[in-house]
Amino acid sequence: TLTTQPPDEKKAELHRAYIDIQLLLEGQETIHYGVAESGRELEEWHPEQDYQLCRAIHNPQALHLEAGMFAIFMPGEPHKPGCHDTLRSPLKKVVIKLHREALFPVC
């Protein structure tokens, strides 16, 4: 569970090894995202947790989710979940981390 925030109060995240599957169970949110390599102003890489934060996304897009909807972000795609432009409201969601090798096995 979390509370939505204005997008300018949040940083985007990206992963190298894991695919993020985000399923919204309750509430509404906007997720700002970009294509691979569009993260800007990158912060320190955290290899143990497979994440990196960034302060900006080049040419960002926005996706509005309502309960029952989901979004999938591939490795390298920056995404800023839990946003709402006009109000702070509670969310309940499930985030599934799927290792990229589940889809693209190493031969």
Side-chain angles (χ1 to χ4, degrees), residues 2 12 27 48 58 60 62 74 81 85 94:
L2 62 125
E48 304 82 29
H58 176 71
M74 300 302 285
D85 292 326
V94 172

Side-chain angles (χ1 to χ4, degrees), residues 11-24:
K11 295 177 184 176
E13 63 185 58
L14 57 97
H15 312 284
R16 294 182 187 172
Y18 286 89
I19 299 163
D20 251 14
I21 303 168
Q22 301 197 11
L23 172 60
L24 187 59

Side-chain angles (χ1 to χ4, degrees), residues 45-83:
W45 169 245
H46 299 271
E48 304 82 29
Q49 297 89 11
D50 187 48
Y51 82 91
Q52 185 172 31
L53 299 178
C54 62
R55 294 189 177 105
I57 300 171
H58 176 71
N59 194 24
Q61 305 296 309
L63 175 64
H64 180 74
L65 296 181
E66 297 182 7
M69 298 173 77
F70 66 93
I72 299 174
F73 299 99
M74 300 302 285
E77 295 178 338
H79 50 284
K80 189 188 304 188
C83 297

